[in-house]
Amino acid sequence: MSLVVVDHVSKSFGGLQAVSDVSFHVNEGEILGLIGPNGAGKTTLFNLVAGAITPDRGRVRFNGLDITGLPPYRISRAGLARTFQVARPFLGMTCYENVLVALIGRAHPAPDSERPELIRELLDFVGLSGKESFLASSLNLIDKKRLELARALATRPRVALLDEALGGLSSIEMDQAMGLIRSIRDKRGVNFVWIEHVMGAIMTLCERLLVLNQGMLICEGTPADVARDARVIEAYLGAPDAGD
Amino acid sequence: MTDFLLYLTNGLVMGIIYALFALGVALIVGIMNVVNFAHGELYVLAGYFSALFASALGMHPALAMIMATLCVFVVGLIVERTLIRPTYGNEMYSLIVTFILSIVLQNGYLLIFGPYPRKPPNLVTGATNVFSLFMYGNQRLLGFALALVMIVCFFALIRYTWFGRVVRSVSIDRDMASLMGVNPQRVNLLAFGLGCALAGAAGVILTPIFPVTPTIGVGVSLTAFVVVVLGGMGSFAGCVVGGILLGVMENLGAAYISSAYKQLFGFIILISALFLRPAGLFGRKRA
Amino acid sequence: MEVITANTKKPLTVVGIVVLALFAAFPLFLGQYWLHTAIVGLFYVMMASSWNLLAGYTGQVSFAHAAFAGVGAYTSGILAAKAGLPPLLGLPIGIAVAAVLGLALGSLCIRMGGIYLSLTTLGFSEILRIIVTNEYEITRGTMGLKTPPLFGEYSKTVSFYVLLAAALLILWLIRRILNSDLGASFRAVQNDETAAASLGIPVVRVRILAFVIAGAMAGFAGSLYGHYLMLITPHILSLDLMFLVLAMTVIGGMGTFIGPIVGALFLETLSEYIRVYGEYHILIFGLVALAVARFAPQGLVGLWRQFRSAV
Ligand SMILES: Nc1ncnc2c1ncn2[C@@H]1O[C@H](COP(=O)(O)OP(=O)(O)OP(=O)(O)O)[C@@H](O)[C@H]1O
Ligand SMILES: [Mg+2]
């Protein structure tokens, strides 16, 4: 069964068609890759699914429930989590408190007695053991991303949307992060939609890829298929190098 | 009918001066995303300076006006450098700091100048028969002309200079502007100083007509906020339109409806406009 | 880390109890004048602490807090003076009206943040002040509205204990809120609304709730204060009073529980000493507040913490 069904979704900002008529679905147990040149509309598509912005046209269904236009907190409570392209932990709060907020935000907040255990377990899992009382602002980039991941997991999601989880990481850190993502899927049964510019990583980790260009879905298939697709090659080669 | 035209003229004269000091607020909000609650107090400061220079130091009133405006410009630079700069990126603290600053200045004025109204001597005396309909004070007419000239100069500055180009690009896209190799600290400093100088210019123009007291700055600040919000919340041109609109509405409203509730209309406009356009005075979407 | 907090918590509680006991004994050895100062100080403790809950913990810098105190004071004051309603009945009505206005203003501001929210609350506050000043028939304008004391005969000692109990109640409530899930939501919303919403925090509800709670608390404080002064003037909803509340919070330490308490009591006491030399206290508070905001954004509490960790 498809967990997420995105059905002919469009969104424009002023004259700019950021996402136009995109449809796709996320299957149980998969890590779905979403790629495309800078400004292709990937983040906007995530914002549409997670409820941060409302589509002009089209519907989004999650787990059989129509979530189009629902506020983000309701979508999170329904079991759809997300991370941000630029990590957004609560900088003025400790790692412990960051995860705590996610436990509180659940539709049925975790009982008080279970919280310390749950939080410690999640922080251990993402590799932040012993940093419970560190302020998020004192963490380095990868730890901030780890914290964001722990926080997203604390909402107990069925599906997590990851926006450039590897951006800015060294290659060793990248390997760690990829291992982490795979183990989350295997151990916790979380499905992923994953935006990434690091092609090597996405090719090894994803069974299926979506390619977005200028707001349109131009290709869908296995990494090998996508790599051979003429439109994809043109989109990447033809795209001006924005250089960020 | 003559009365009506007189009120209208009053509204127009006040409106242009409103526009002049509101442009200062608009500039600072647009460039720095800071609302300077002490804007009115800088207007008052310019009034005190001009009175001081003209009466105590015996300067020519016109020279006193220019000197006072320059002094307020320098004060603006100092305020930016010492108080505003440390709050960059923290909207909450810039609000709090300028709010405290406004109270400090009010009470400082009270201590130094006392509660009594102060004014410099008039530049011109007498009155002119306007359109052979009513007599209108020459000082007011001069103030109107001066404010108009200042506004034109401001627009020329924005249109034709390096600084103006930066201002325009920042108001389109803050990040892009910083990519253009602009030193944001210097731009902020200049914008703040210039914004304060606009308040100062309005202050020296209006003080001979409405003498300053330590606390009238509050009204000036609030009026400026209303004008900036009213003026379409986008452009500097909107500020001018908003200023004239408010000036005329206030004067007609005070004459024909109720003078006690004169200010109330402004605030209702302020709140409704903010409610309709919560993205902000400049309508710029913030991530 | 935990060991340290465990060690410091106990002495702090002991200090708290000693300070409270000393405070409660004030009427025994303070003259009428200083008792008045203590009462005013307690009013400001309530005001600064509740404003801090809104501004320091949810990041909504409202300039309408004094206005809410005014709403509470004028509501129960007018009901008592014009309709003869006993102040003890007027008090809850005052709180309720302030809470409803908090709901209205909070909802109005919900799509705004930062400077725009502050401008709106400022406008709201000035609208109330203009109405109260001009509706002379009902409010007696700047002449002031005479109101009866909260109950029985007027007594400073009784008023002191009433205000002390009220302040303790407010502080206890705030403490409870801060340690609850709602408190964590407040801080999450202040840190990053978008991220908070993505984790299931109902940001709109949380922000409005903060306005309602803070508004009700200010209404409560204002109403009690009005019945203590027995004369309500538009000063209570002025920006001057708002400034004092803000300065106390900033000087004490915004976003900390103790900060506003320390700031309010410190400044109120200080102002009595400065008053001897003339009306300079506002100017001096302002200068101190500027210096604190510039050099020690965490206020006195922050300085104390730095000092502690340095030792
Ligand atoms: N809130 C917004 N208002 C106006 N334009 C927007 C907004 N959000 C995104 N855009 C525009 O929509 C287009 C798509 O942006 P988006 O962030 O979705 O791209 P992306 O594929 O995530 O790019 P990148 O790989 O650089 O992150 C861009 O041109 C962007 O400028
Ligand atoms: Mg993106």
Side-chain angles (χ1 to χ4, degrees), chain C residues 11-67:
Chain C
L12 268 187
T13 323
V14 174
V15 169
I17 290 172
V18 171
V19 168
L20 188 60
L22 251 157
F23 214 81
F26 269 5
L28 299 179
F29 54 85
L30 283 188
Q32 291 288 296
Y33 182 80
W34 282 100
L35 202 53
H36 170 75
T37 307
I39 294 172
V40 178
L42 286 169
F43 166 69
Y44 280 116
V45 166
M46 289 192 263
M47 289 297 288
S49 293
S50 51
W51 184 72
N52 181 47
L53 187 66
L54 181 64
Y57 283 96
T58 73
Q60 304 182 91
V61 181
S62 161
F63 285 108
H65 208 60

Short mmCIF file of all heavy atoms in Angstrom, two decimals, chain C residues 11-67:
data_model
loop_
_atom_site.label_atom_id
_atom_site.label_comp_id
_atom_site.label_asym_id
_atom_site.label_seq_id
_atom_site.Cartn_x
_atom_site.Cartn_y
_atom_site.Cartn_z
N PRO C 11 19.99 24.85 48.91
CA PRO C 11 20.23 26.14 49.55
C PRO C 11 19.31 27.22 48.98
O PRO C 11 18.82 28.07 49.72
CB PRO C 11 21.68 26.46 49.19
CG PRO C 11 22.28 25.18 48.82
CD PRO C 11 21.20 24.28 48.36
N LEU C 12 19.00 27.13 47.68
CA LEU C 12 18.13 28.13 47.07
C LEU C 12 16.74 28.09 47.69
O LEU C 12 16.15 29.13 47.98
CB LEU C 12 18.03 27.89 45.56
CG LEU C 12 19.04 28.65 44.71
CD1 LEU C 12 18.74 28.48 43.24
CD2 LEU C 12 19.06 30.12 45.09
N THR C 13 16.22 26.88 47.90
CA THR C 13 14.91 26.76 48.53
C THR C 13 14.95 27.37 49.92
O THR C 13 14.04 28.09 50.33
CB THR C 13 14.49 25.28 48.62
OG1 THR C 13 14.94 24.62 47.44
CG2 THR C 13 13.02 25.14 48.79
N VAL C 14 16.02 27.05 50.67
CA VAL C 14 16.15 27.58 52.03
C VAL C 14 16.18 29.10 51.98
O VAL C 14 15.44 29.78 52.71
CB VAL C 14 17.43 27.03 52.70
CG1 VAL C 14 17.63 27.69 54.05
CG2 VAL C 14 17.34 25.52 52.83
N VAL C 15 17.00 29.64 51.06
CA VAL C 15 17.08 31.10 50.92
C VAL C 15 15.69 31.66 50.62
O VAL C 15 15.26 32.64 51.21
CB VAL C 15 18.07 31.48 49.80
CG1 VAL C 15 17.96 32.96 49.47
CG2 VAL C 15 19.49 31.14 50.22
N GLY C 16 14.99 30.99 49.71
CA GLY C 16 13.65 31.44 49.35
C GLY C 16 12.73 31.52 50.54
O GLY C 16 12.03 32.52 50.73
N ILE C 17 12.76 30.49 51.37
CA ILE C 17 11.86 30.46 52.53
C ILE C 17 12.22 31.56 53.52
O ILE C 17 11.35 32.26 54.05
CB ILE C 17 11.90 29.06 53.21
CG1 ILE C 17 11.22 28.05 52.28
CG2 ILE C 17 11.22 29.09 54.56
CD1 ILE C 17 11.37 26.62 52.71
N VAL C 18 13.53 31.75 53.74
CA VAL C 18 13.97 32.79 54.67
C VAL C 18 13.53 34.17 54.17
O VAL C 18 12.97 34.98 54.92
CB VAL C 18 15.51 32.75 54.85
CG1 VAL C 18 15.99 33.96 55.62
CG2 VAL C 18 15.92 31.47 55.55
N VAL C 19 13.77 34.41 52.86
CA VAL C 19 13.38 35.71 52.29
C VAL C 19 11.89 35.92 52.44
O VAL C 19 11.42 36.99 52.84
CB VAL C 19 13.78 35.77 50.79
CG1 VAL C 19 13.14 36.97 50.12
CG2 VAL C 19 15.29 35.83 50.66
N LEU C 20 11.13 34.87 52.17
CA LEU C 20 9.67 34.97 52.25
C LEU C 20 9.23 35.28 53.67
O LEU C 20 8.38 36.14 53.90
CB LEU C 20 9.06 33.66 51.76
CG LEU C 20 7.55 33.67 51.60
CD1 LEU C 20 7.14 34.73 50.59
CD2 LEU C 20 7.04 32.31 51.17
N ALA C 21 9.83 34.58 54.64
CA ALA C 21 9.47 34.79 56.05
C ALA C 21 9.77 36.23 56.44
O ALA C 21 8.96 36.91 57.09
CB ALA C 21 10.23 33.81 56.94
N LEU C 22 10.94 36.71 56.04
CA LEU C 22 11.31 38.09 56.33
C LEU C 22 10.30 39.05 55.72
O LEU C 22 9.86 40.01 56.36
CB LEU C 22 12.69 38.36 55.72
CG LEU C 22 13.83 38.51 56.71
CD1 LEU C 22 15.15 38.21 56.03
CD2 LEU C 22 13.84 39.91 57.29
N PHE C 23 9.96 38.75 54.47
CA PHE C 23 9.03 39.60 53.74
C PHE C 23 7.68 39.63 54.45
O PHE C 23 7.07 40.68 54.62
CB PHE C 23 8.88 39.04 52.32
CG PHE C 23 8.67 40.10 51.30
CD1 PHE C 23 9.75 40.81 50.81
CD2 PHE C 23 7.40 40.40 50.84
CE1 PHE C 23 9.57 41.81 49.87
CE2 PHE C 23 7.22 41.41 49.90
CZ PHE C 23 8.30 42.10 49.42
N ALA C 24 7.23 38.44 54.87
CA ALA C 24 5.92 38.35 55.50
C ALA C 24 5.89 39.11 56.82
O ALA C 24 4.83 39.51 57.29
CB ALA C 24 5.54 36.89 55.71
N ALA C 25 7.07 39.30 57.41
CA ALA C 25 7.12 39.99 58.70
C ALA C 25 7.24 41.50 58.53
O ALA C 25 7.29 42.23 59.52
CB ALA C 25 8.28 39.44 59.53
N PHE C 26 7.28 41.98 57.32
CA PHE C 26 7.46 43.41 57.06
C PHE C 26 6.54 44.32 57.88
O PHE C 26 7.01 45.28 58.48
CB PHE C 26 7.26 43.71 55.57
CG PHE C 26 8.53 43.65 54.78
CD1 PHE C 26 9.73 43.25 55.37
CD2 PHE C 26 8.53 44.01 53.44
CE1 PHE C 26 10.89 43.19 54.62
CE2 PHE C 26 9.70 43.96 52.69
CZ PHE C 26 10.88 43.55 53.29
N PRO C 27 5.23 44.02 57.92
CA PRO C 27 4.33 44.94 58.63
C PRO C 27 4.73 45.12 60.09
O PRO C 27 4.36 46.11 60.72
CB PRO C 27 2.97 44.26 58.51
CG PRO C 27 3.07 43.43 57.29
CD PRO C 27 4.49 42.95 57.26
N LEU C 28 5.47 44.15 60.65
CA LEU C 28 5.85 44.25 62.06
C LEU C 28 6.86 45.36 62.29
O LEU C 28 6.86 46.00 63.33
CB LEU C 28 6.43 42.92 62.56
CG LEU C 28 5.47 41.73 62.49
CD1 LEU C 28 6.15 40.46 62.98
CD2 LEU C 28 4.22 42.01 63.30
N PHE C 29 7.76 45.55 61.33
CA PHE C 29 8.81 46.54 61.60
C PHE C 29 8.95 47.65 60.56
O PHE C 29 9.74 48.55 60.74
CB PHE C 29 10.17 45.84 61.82
CG PHE C 29 10.58 44.91 60.72
CD1 PHE C 29 11.23 45.40 59.60
CD2 PHE C 29 10.34 43.53 60.81
CE1 PHE C 29 11.62 44.54 58.60
CE2 PHE C 29 10.72 42.68 59.80
CZ PHE C 29 11.37 43.18 58.69
N LEU C 30 8.16 47.57 59.48
CA LEU C 30 8.23 48.66 58.51
C LEU C 30 7.18 49.71 58.81
O LEU C 30 6.06 49.38 59.22
CB LEU C 30 8.01 48.14 57.09
CG LEU C 30 9.15 47.42 56.41
CD1 LEU C 30 8.80 47.16 54.95
CD2 LEU C 30 10.45 48.20 56.51
N GLY C 31 7.53 50.98 58.58
CA GLY C 31 6.54 52.04 58.73
C GLY C 31 5.56 52.00 57.58
O GLY C 31 5.73 51.24 56.62
N GLN C 32 4.52 52.85 57.66
CA GLN C 32 3.49 52.89 56.63
C GLN C 32 4.08 53.19 55.26
O GLN C 32 3.66 52.61 54.27
CB GLN C 32 2.45 53.98 56.98
CG GLN C 32 1.62 53.65 58.19
CD GLN C 32 0.62 52.55 57.89
OE1 GLN C 32 -0.26 52.70 57.08
NE2 GLN C 32 0.78 51.41 58.55
N TYR C 33 5.08 54.06 55.21
CA TYR C 33 5.63 54.48 53.94
C TYR C 33 6.31 53.31 53.23
O TYR C 33 6.06 53.04 52.06
CB TYR C 33 6.63 55.62 54.15
CG TYR C 33 7.19 56.13 52.84
CD1 TYR C 33 6.45 57.00 52.06
CD2 TYR C 33 8.43 55.71 52.38
CE1 TYR C 33 6.92 57.45 50.85
CE2 TYR C 33 8.92 56.15 51.17
CZ TYR C 33 8.17 57.03 50.41
OH TYR C 33 8.66 57.46 49.21
N TRP C 34 7.14 52.60 53.96
CA TRP C 34 7.86 51.49 53.33
C TRP C 34 6.95 50.32 53.07
O TRP C 34 7.18 49.53 52.16
CB TRP C 34 9.07 51.07 54.18
CG TRP C 34 10.19 52.05 53.97
CD1 TRP C 34 10.54 53.08 54.78
CD2 TRP C 34 11.07 52.09 52.84
NE1 TRP C 34 11.58 53.77 54.23
CE2 TRP C 34 11.93 53.19 53.04
CE3 TRP C 34 11.20 51.33 51.68
CZ2 TRP C 34 12.92 53.53 52.13
CZ3 TRP C 34 12.19 51.67 50.78
CH2 TRP C 34 13.03 52.76 51.00
N LEU C 35 5.90 50.23 53.86
CA LEU C 35 4.91 49.19 53.59
C LEU C 35 4.25 49.45 52.24
O LEU C 35 4.04 48.52 51.43
CB LEU C 35 3.85 49.18 54.70
CG LEU C 35 3.09 47.86 54.87
CD1 LEU C 35 4.05 46.69 55.02
CD2 LEU C 35 2.16 47.95 56.06
N HIS C 36 3.99 50.73 51.98
CA HIS C 36 3.44 51.11 50.67
C HIS C 36 4.40 50.69 49.55
O HIS C 36 4.00 50.10 48.55
CB HIS C 36 3.19 52.61 50.64
CG HIS C 36 2.85 53.13 49.28
ND1 HIS C 36 1.60 52.93 48.72
CD2 HIS C 36 3.57 53.82 48.37
CE1 HIS C 36 1.59 53.47 47.51
NE2 HIS C 36 2.77 54.03 47.28
N THR C 37 5.67 50.98 49.77
CA THR C 37 6.68 50.60 48.77
C THR C 37 6.65 49.09 48.52
O THR C 37 6.72 48.63 47.38
CB THR C 37 8.08 51.00 49.25
OG1 THR C 37 8.06 52.38 49.59
CG2 THR C 37 9.12 50.75 48.17
N ALA C 38 6.54 48.33 49.60
CA ALA C 38 6.52 46.87 49.46
C ALA C 38 5.30 46.42 48.65
O ALA C 38 5.39 45.52 47.81
CB ALA C 38 6.51 46.22 50.84
N ILE C 39 4.15 47.07 48.91
CA ILE C 39 2.93 46.70 48.18
C ILE C 39 3.08 47.00 46.70
O ILE C 39 2.77 46.17 45.84
CB ILE C 39 1.71 47.44 48.77
CG1 ILE C 39 1.45 46.95 50.20
CG2 ILE C 39 0.48 47.23 47.90
CD1 ILE C 39 0.42 47.73 50.95
N VAL C 40 3.59 48.20 46.39
CA VAL C 40 3.80 48.55 44.99
C VAL C 40 4.78 47.57 44.35
O VAL C 40 4.59 47.11 43.22
CB VAL C 40 4.32 50.01 44.87
CG1 VAL C 40 4.59 50.35 43.41
CG2 VAL C 40 3.31 50.98 45.45
N GLY C 41 5.82 47.23 45.13
CA GLY C 41 6.80 46.26 44.63
C GLY C 41 6.14 44.93 44.29
O GLY C 41 6.44 44.34 43.24
N LEU C 42 5.21 44.49 45.12
CA LEU C 42 4.52 43.22 44.85
C LEU C 42 3.68 43.32 43.59
O LEU C 42 3.62 42.37 42.79
CB LEU C 42 3.65 42.84 46.04
CG LEU C 42 4.42 42.33 47.25
CD1 LEU C 42 3.52 42.24 48.48
CD2 LEU C 42 5.04 40.97 46.95
N PHE C 43 3.05 44.46 43.39
CA PHE C 43 2.28 44.67 42.15
C PHE C 43 3.21 44.51 40.95
O PHE C 43 2.89 43.80 39.99
CB PHE C 43 1.63 46.06 42.17
CG PHE C 43 1.12 46.51 40.82
CD1 PHE C 43 0.02 45.89 40.24
CD2 PHE C 43 1.75 47.55 40.15
CE1 PHE C 43 -0.44 46.31 38.99
CE2 PHE C 43 1.30 47.98 38.91
CZ PHE C 43 0.20 47.36 38.33
N TYR C 44 4.39 45.12 41.04
CA TYR C 44 5.30 45.03 39.90
C TYR C 44 5.88 43.63 39.75
O TYR C 44 6.19 43.21 38.63
CB TYR C 44 6.42 46.08 40.03
CG TYR C 44 5.97 47.44 39.58
CD1 TYR C 44 5.92 48.50 40.47
CD2 TYR C 44 5.57 47.65 38.27
CE1 TYR C 44 5.50 49.75 40.06
CE2 TYR C 44 5.14 48.89 37.85
CZ TYR C 44 5.11 49.95 38.74
OH TYR C 44 4.68 51.17 38.33
N VAL C 45 6.04 42.91 40.83
CA VAL C 45 6.48 41.51 40.71
C VAL C 45 5.48 40.73 39.85
O VAL C 45 5.86 39.99 38.94
CB VAL C 45 6.62 40.85 42.10
CG1 VAL C 45 6.75 39.34 41.98
CG2 VAL C 45 7.82 41.42 42.84
N MET C 46 4.20 40.94 40.13
CA MET C 46 3.17 40.23 39.35
C MET C 46 3.21 40.66 37.89
O MET C 46 3.12 39.84 36.97
CB MET C 46 1.78 40.51 39.94
CG MET C 46 1.54 39.83 41.26
SD MET C 46 -0.20 39.92 41.72
CE MET C 46 -0.17 41.33 42.79
N MET C 47 3.33 41.98 37.69
CA MET C 47 3.31 42.50 36.31
C MET C 47 4.52 42.01 35.53
O MET C 47 4.40 41.51 34.41
CB MET C 47 3.31 44.04 36.33
CG MET C 47 2.02 44.65 36.80
SD MET C 47 0.65 44.25 35.72
CE MET C 47 1.06 45.25 34.29
N ALA C 48 5.70 42.16 36.12
CA ALA C 48 6.91 41.80 35.38
C ALA C 48 6.97 40.30 35.14
O ALA C 48 7.34 39.84 34.05
CB ALA C 48 8.14 42.28 36.16
N SER C 49 6.58 39.51 36.14
CA SER C 49 6.65 38.06 35.96
C SER C 49 5.69 37.58 34.89
O SER C 49 6.03 36.70 34.09
CB SER C 49 6.33 37.35 37.29
OG SER C 49 7.35 37.61 38.21
N SER C 50 4.49 38.17 34.85
CA SER C 50 3.53 37.70 33.85
C SER C 50 3.91 38.21 32.46
O SER C 50 3.72 37.50 31.47
CB SER C 50 2.10 38.10 34.22
OG SER C 50 2.02 39.48 34.52
N TRP C 51 4.48 39.41 32.39
CA TRP C 51 4.94 39.90 31.08
C TRP C 51 6.08 39.03 30.57
O TRP C 51 6.17 38.71 29.40
CB TRP C 51 5.39 41.36 31.17
CG TRP C 51 5.78 41.92 29.84
CD1 TRP C 51 4.93 42.24 28.81
CD2 TRP C 51 7.10 42.20 29.36
NE1 TRP C 51 5.65 42.71 27.74
CE2 TRP C 51 6.97 42.70 28.04
CE3 TRP C 51 8.38 42.09 29.92
CZ2 TRP C 51 8.07 43.08 27.28
CZ3 TRP C 51 9.47 42.48 29.17
CH2 TRP C 51 9.32 42.96 27.86
N ASN C 52 6.95 38.64 31.51
CA ASN C 52 8.08 37.78 31.16
C ASN C 52 7.60 36.44 30.61
O ASN C 52 8.20 35.88 29.69
CB ASN C 52 8.93 37.58 32.41
CG ASN C 52 10.14 36.72 32.15
OD1 ASN C 52 10.84 36.91 31.19
ND2 ASN C 52 10.35 35.75 33.02
N LEU C 53 6.50 35.95 31.16
CA LEU C 53 5.95 34.68 30.66
C LEU C 53 5.61 34.81 29.17
O LEU C 53 5.88 33.91 28.37
CB LEU C 53 4.69 34.32 31.45
CG LEU C 53 4.07 32.96 31.18
CD1 LEU C 53 4.99 31.85 31.63
CD2 LEU C 53 2.72 32.83 31.89
N LEU C 54 5.06 35.96 28.80
CA LEU C 54 4.68 36.19 27.41
C LEU C 54 5.89 36.55 26.54
O LEU C 54 6.14 35.94 25.50
CB LEU C 54 3.64 37.32 27.37
CG LEU C 54 3.08 37.71 26.01
CD1 LEU C 54 2.30 36.57 25.40
CD2 LEU C 54 2.17 38.94 26.15
N ALA C 55 6.63 37.57 26.99
CA ALA C 55 7.71 38.10 26.15
C ALA C 55 8.98 37.26 26.26
O ALA C 55 9.63 36.96 25.27
CB ALA C 55 8.01 39.54 26.53
N GLY C 56 9.32 36.88 27.48
CA GLY C 56 10.58 36.18 27.69
C GLY C 56 10.51 34.71 27.33
O GLY C 56 11.52 34.10 27.01
N TYR C 57 9.32 34.11 27.40
CA TYR C 57 9.23 32.68 27.14
C TYR C 57 8.57 32.32 25.80
O TYR C 57 8.84 31.26 25.26
CB TYR C 57 8.52 31.96 28.29
CG TYR C 57 9.41 31.78 29.48
CD1 TYR C 57 9.40 32.66 30.54
CD2 TYR C 57 10.33 30.72 29.53
CE1 TYR C 57 10.25 32.52 31.63
CE2 TYR C 57 11.19 30.56 30.61
CZ TYR C 57 11.14 31.46 31.65
OH TYR C 57 11.99 31.31 32.70
N THR C 58 7.67 33.19 25.29
CA THR C 58 7.15 32.87 23.96
C THR C 58 7.68 33.84 22.91
O THR C 58 7.38 33.69 21.73
CB THR C 58 5.60 32.87 23.89
OG1 THR C 58 5.14 34.22 23.93
CG2 THR C 58 5.00 32.08 25.02
N GLY C 59 8.43 34.86 23.35
CA GLY C 59 9.04 35.78 22.40
C GLY C 59 8.07 36.80 21.80
O GLY C 59 8.40 37.45 20.82
N GLN C 60 6.88 36.93 22.39
CA GLN C 60 5.93 37.93 21.88
C GLN C 60 6.05 39.19 22.73
O GLN C 60 5.47 39.29 23.80
CB GLN C 60 4.50 37.38 21.94
CG GLN C 60 4.34 36.06 21.19
CD GLN C 60 2.91 35.54 21.21
OE1 GLN C 60 2.12 35.82 20.35
NE2 GLN C 60 2.58 34.76 22.22
N VAL C 61 6.84 40.15 22.23
CA VAL C 61 7.10 41.37 23.00
C VAL C 61 5.88 42.29 22.90
O VAL C 61 5.78 43.12 22.01
CB VAL C 61 8.36 42.08 22.51
CG1 VAL C 61 8.63 43.33 23.34
CG2 VAL C 61 9.54 41.15 22.60
N SER C 62 4.96 42.12 23.83
CA SER C 62 3.73 42.90 23.83
C SER C 62 3.95 44.21 24.59
O SER C 62 4.54 44.21 25.67
CB SER C 62 2.61 42.10 24.49
OG SER C 62 1.57 42.95 24.88
N PHE C 63 3.44 45.30 24.04
CA PHE C 63 3.47 46.57 24.75
C PHE C 63 2.11 46.87 25.35
O PHE C 63 1.82 48.00 25.71
CB PHE C 63 3.93 47.69 23.83
CG PHE C 63 5.40 47.66 23.55
CD1 PHE C 63 5.89 47.28 22.31
CD2 PHE C 63 6.31 47.97 24.55
CE1 PHE C 63 7.25 47.22 22.07
CE2 PHE C 63 7.67 47.91 24.31
CZ PHE C 63 8.15 47.54 23.07
N ALA C 64 1.28 45.87 25.45
CA ALA C 64 -0.08 46.10 25.96
C ALA C 64 -0.25 45.54 27.37
O ALA C 64 -1.38 45.43 27.84
CB ALA C 64 -1.10 45.48 25.01
N HIS C 65 0.84 45.19 28.04
CA HIS C 65 0.67 44.54 29.33
C HIS C 65 0.08 45.49 30.37
O HIS C 65 -0.80 45.12 31.14
CB HIS C 65 1.98 43.97 29.82
CG HIS C 65 1.81 42.79 30.72
ND1 HIS C 65 1.17 41.64 30.32
CD2 HIS C 65 2.18 42.57 32.00
CE1 HIS C 65 1.15 40.78 31.32
NE2 HIS C 65 1.75 41.33 32.34
N ALA C 66 0.58 46.73 30.38
CA ALA C 66 0.02 47.73 31.29
C ALA C 66 -1.45 47.95 30.96
O ALA C 66 -2.28 48.13 31.86
CB ALA C 66 0.80 49.03 31.21
N ALA C 67 -1.78 47.91 29.68
CA ALA C 67 -3.18 48.09 29.28
C ALA C 67 -4.06 47.02 29.89
O ALA C 67 -5.18 47.29 30.32
CB ALA C 67 -3.29 48.06 27.76
#
